[in-house]
Amino acid sequence: MAADTRPGGTAPFGVRLAAAIGSRSALCVGIDPHAATLAAWGLGRDEQGLTAFGAALVDAAAGRAAIVKPQVAFFEAAGVAGYRALDATVRRARDAGLLVVADVKRGDIGSTGDDYALAWLDRDGPFRADAMTVSPYLGYGSLVGTVDVARRNGAGVFVLAATSNPEARLLQTAVVAEGPRAGRTVAAGIVLDVADDNRTGGDQPLGDVGLVLGATLDLDDFGIDAAAIGSAPVLAPGFGAQGARIEDLRSLYGSRAEQVLVSESRGLLSAGPDGVAGLVQERADRIRVALEVAA
């Protein structure tokens, strides 16, 4: 019997993600209920408003995008009510056949890190996302338990490597002085660590361990060779309002362009609740065209 590739199914995350991209598109719809956006949409920063916002984005993404990415901070700001709204959003997304990456950027050592992973990725956990974002900046080895929890539950992680915020550049481009990644930038070392992790996960079209690589960056500036990404899926924020263009996917990511999740939030939200579905469809169509060019 074939493994179940549906959200929450038994297949590994990388297998389910590849299936979702193939059947819909490589679009990742950000669900970012910022206070100003909620106000512009006529919604309050309460359980009712957050739930309605999440529902609108999920419905717009359904059948068009591979994955949605709730930014947990914007829900967390509303306290318990926000977490109830987040739970409703994740459940609605799963019912709609969408994968969910929880943008939580967790990262800690030992049992603390493991429990963060259990909270967000355990099949019987309180949130049951398909993947979560994590920070490797307590040392990549600190993520061993998190990756283990993810794989036991058919889930994935996206590891921050090169991000667009300017204050990160000094750290991420710093050169490692010793160890197996000596002479490489910190960001390039993380890319190699992720590639190694995916090689241990078996032969899959996409690995269960992904990378976050900002689409507004020149990877060469961070010492990153696109070929070194291996089978890692790439979560690429920065499209739309932040300036990155879908048409530049191949020039940005080279031979790994088919592995890139085009992540957009603000540019889609600007259309309001009545126009967001149309923009999601337009982005999905543009991704397909961009990947057909010189394929």
Side-chain angles (χ1 to χ4, degrees), residues 125-176:
F127 297 111
R128 273 189 65 196
D130 296 285
M132 64 187 286
T133 55
V134 296
S135 172
Y137 289 103
L138 289 181
Y140 191 83
S142 67
L143 299 178
V144 168
T146 297
V147 172
D148 182 57
V149 169
R151 284 186 166 144
R152 290 202 316 265
N153 288 278
V157 298
F158 284 92
V159 183
L160 299 172
T163 59
S164 59
N165 56 313
E167 60 270 25
R169 191 180 187 91
L170 183 62
L171 171 61
Q172 293 170 0
T173 60
V175 176
V176 179

Side-chain angles (χ1 to χ4, degrees), residues 69-170:
K69 182 175 69 66
Q71 172 46 260
V72 172
F74 293 132
F75 289 90
E76 192 173 276
V80 174
Y83 272 101
R84 285 197 294 263
L86 176 62
D87 178 64
T89 299
V90 172
R91 290 175 185 273
R92 190 181 188 98
R94 186 179 300 114
D95 290 344
L98 290 159
L99 297 177
V100 179
V101 53
D103 197 353
V104 290
K105 298 181 179 69
R106 299 292 194 254
D108 213 324
I109 58 174
S111 58
T112 308
D114 295 354
D115 273 3
Y116 277 136
L118 286 169
W120 292 99
L121 303 179
D122 190 279
R123 284 194 179 95
D124 299 316
F127 297 111
R128 273 189 65 196
D130 296 285
M132 64 187 286
T133 55
V134 296
S135 172
Y137 289 103
L138 289 181
Y140 191 83
S142 67
L143 299 178
V144 168
T146 297
V147 172
D148 182 57
V149 169
R151 284 186 166 144
R152 290 202 316 265
N153 288 278
V157 298
F158 284 92
V159 183
L160 299 172
T163 59
S164 59
N165 56 313
E167 60 270 25
R169 191 180 187 91
L170 183 62

Side-chain angles (χ1 to χ4, degrees), residues 3-270:
D4 185 353
T5 60
R6 294 173 299 177
T10 57
F13 172 71
V15 174
R16 293 188 290 122
L17 179 60
I21 292 172
S23 64
R24 297 190 289 278
S25 75
L27 182 63
C28 173
V29 174
I31 303 179
D32 292 10
H34 188 278
T37 304
L38 289 169
W41 281 35
L43 299 171
R45 202 173 200 180
D46 53 19
E47 184 175 353
Q48 182 179 3
L50 290 165
T51 300
F53 182 87
L57 270 294
V58 166
D59 292 351
R64 301 178 178 97
I67 196 163
V68 292
K69 182 175 69 66
Q71 172 46 260
V72 172
F74 293 132
F75 289 90
E76 192 173 276
V80 174
Y83 272 101
R84 285 197 294 263
L86 176 62
D87 178 64
T89 299
V90 172
R91 290 175 185 273
R92 190 181 188 98
R94 186 179 300 114
D95 290 344
L98 290 159
L99 297 177
V100 179
V101 53
D103 197 353
V104 290
K105 298 181 179 69
R106 299 292 194 254
D108 213 324
I109 58 174
S111 58
T112 308
D114 295 354
D115 273 3
Y116 277 136
L118 286 169
W120 292 99
L121 303 179
D122 190 279
R123 284 194 179 95
D124 299 316
F127 297 111
R128 273 189 65 196
D130 296 285
M132 64 187 286
T133 55
V134 296
S135 172
Y137 289 103
L138 289 181
Y140 191 83
S142 67
L143 299 178
V144 168
T146 297
V147 172
D148 182 57
V149 169
R151 284 186 166 144
R152 290 202 316 265
N153 288 278
V157 298
F158 284 92
V159 183
L160 299 172
T163 59
S164 59
N165 56 313
E167 60 270 25
R169 191 180 187 91
L170 183 62
L171 171 61
Q172 293 170 0
T173 60
V175 176
V176 179
E178 57 186 52
R181 307 302 184 208
R184 300 185 183 274
T185 67
V186 170
I190 291 167
V191 169
L192 293 175
D193 288 333
V194 166
D196 285 349
D197 237 342
N198 282 321
R199 277 190 282 271
T200 68
D203 185 17
Q204 297 177 190
L206 289 177
D208 301 318
V209 185
L211 290 160
V212 178
L213 299 173
T216 57
L217 305 175
D218 185 336
L219 296 185
D220 288 340
D221 292 344
F222 288 75
I224 296 171
D225 178 0
I229 291 171
S231 65
V234 175
L235 181 62
F239 288 92
Q242 291 172 263
R245 298 173 66 249
I246 291 171
E247 289 72 21
D248 295 333
L249 268 170
R250 290 203 178 278
S251 62
L252 288 169
Y253 298 99
S255 62
R256 303 303 177 185
E258 281 84 359
Q259 298 167 213
V260 174
L261 287 164
V262 173
S263 184
E264 185 173 355
S265 176
R266 276 185 289 164
L268 300 173
L269 300 179
S270 63

